[in-house]
Amino acid sequence: DVKVTQSSRYLVKRTGEKVFLECVQDMDHENMFWYRQDPGLGLRLIYFSYDVKMKEKGDIPEGYSVSREKKERFSLILESASTNQTSMYLCAGSGAKVAGLDTQYFGPGTRLTVL
Amino acid sequence: AQSVTQLGSHVSVSEGALVLLRCNYSSSVPPYLFWYVQYPNQGLQLLLKYTTGATLVKGINGFEAEFKKSETSFHLTKPSAHMSDAAEYFCAVSSTGGNAGNMLTFGGGTRLMVKP
């Protein structure tokens, strides 16, 4: 079974704190993704990585950064957390370079609350 | 740019009734289309996907979806709802090209409630 794990299921932070969300996949996949999920908005792509140390912005990268130093690990960083970053964060991985040929596999999510 | 619209953020059906969740997409190129399901407190898992070939796609748990190019639709159906089908369902379209070929654009989601 493929597996994507996220470091925390629930996280509570204060405004201005630096926050790290960690994601690990055991599928040897090149591609990894970070989404945020908000009611009525579905999932929106924050950043993705297609190889170690390679990253590209998604649709809503403002206020976030990412790090991928090893193939299996993809970190999402909130440099200075704000209340509007309270959300569910989902990590995913996939192996294909050609659209439609592979599935994105998701982790269980981290529900982040910023007070 | 691609987009996905799911009509109805909440759908309620009785157990044993037909399930119909609607999805319309816009894409400038032939799309790859997906339905994902999210059970409470879990991540998303793939229900089914359309890439090429047969337009009627069968997925897990008795769900199926039909790609209709003329209507730009990919509606999800199940003949008989079960209580365990209560979840949130997301339709997605795949972007083509780029460095990570399988990038997805998601709809807003439809929460399915099943009444006994």
Side-chain angles (χ1 to χ4, degrees):
Chain A
D1 253 4
V2 297
K3 198 155 188 180
V4 178
T5 56
Q6 295 182 230
S7 52
S8 306
R9 293 301 302 273
Y10 299 94
L11 210 52
V12 179
K13 296 292 182 180
R14 296 211 174 271
T15 302
E17 280 192 78
K18 190 169 185 175
V19 181
F20 292 87
L21 303 183
E22 305 285 341
C23 175
V24 177
Q25 51 103 355
D26 68 356
M27 303 171 288
D28 201 33
H29 281 176
E30 284 84 8
N31 306 324
M32 296 187 76
F33 307 83
W34 274 107
Y35 296 90
R36 64 176 283 175
Q37 179 183 3
D38 299 289
L41 298 178
L43 278 72
R44 293 177 291 167
L45 182 64
I46 305 172
Y47 267 97
F48 69 95
S49 168
Y50 53 92
D51 204 345
V52 174
K53 296 189 186 295
M54 307 305 289
K55 61 187 179 185
E56 284 195 18
K57 295 179 180 179
D59 299 319
I60 51 164
E62 296 77 19
Y64 303 94
S65 63
V66 291
S67 171
R68 190 158 181 211
E69 297 296 319
K70 294 184 178 181
K71 190 175 186 180
E72 67 272 16
R73 189 177 296 269
F74 191 35
S75 302
L76 180 69
I77 303 155
L78 288 66
E79 295 290 342
S80 177
S82 64
T83 54
N84 62 15
Q85 292 178 309
T86 292
S87 187
M88 170 73 87
Y89 290 88
L90 291 165
C91 175
S94 80
K97 292 296 185 185
V98 178
L101 291 188
D102 199 2
T103 299
Q104 285 192 21
Y105 295 92
F106 285 81
T110 296
R111 186 167 294 282
L112 172 67
T113 302
V114 182
L115 302 175
Chain B
Q2 295 169 306
S3 66
V4 177
T5 302
Q6 292 183 239
L7 295 176
S9 58
H10 292 79
V11 169
S12 181
V13 300
S14 297
E15 192 172 21
L18 172 71
V19 176
L20 171 59
L21 305 183
R22 297 178 188 274
C23 172
N24 288 89
Y25 68 91
S26 69
S27 174
S28 57
V29 296
Y32 299 113
L33 296 158
F34 302 77
W35 275 100
Y36 280 83
V37 60
Q38 185 180 35
Y39 297 106
N41 298 316
Q42 294 186 27
L44 276 67
Q45 67 181 82
L46 183 70
L47 265 181
L48 49 80
K49 66 179 180 182
Y50 167 79
T51 53
T52 58
T55 57
L56 182 63
V57 181
K58 295 187 185 299
I60 61 171
N61 301 335
F63 284 93
E64 61 184 35
E66 187 171 12
F67 169 58
K68 292 187 176 181
K69 184 178 179 181
S70 61
E71 298 177 9
T72 60
S73 68
F74 191 56
H75 302 329
L76 182 70
T77 60
K78 182 174 180 178
S80 176
H82 192 272
M83 296 296 290
S84 61
D85 294 327
E88 189 152 23
Y89 293 79
F90 293 93
C91 183
V93 62
S94 181
S95 306
T96 56
N99 288 311
N102 195 17
M103 292 174 60
L104 297 174
T105 299
F106 285 86
T110 298
R111 185 168 296 280
L112 176 66
M113 295 165 284
V114 182
K115 299 175 292 186

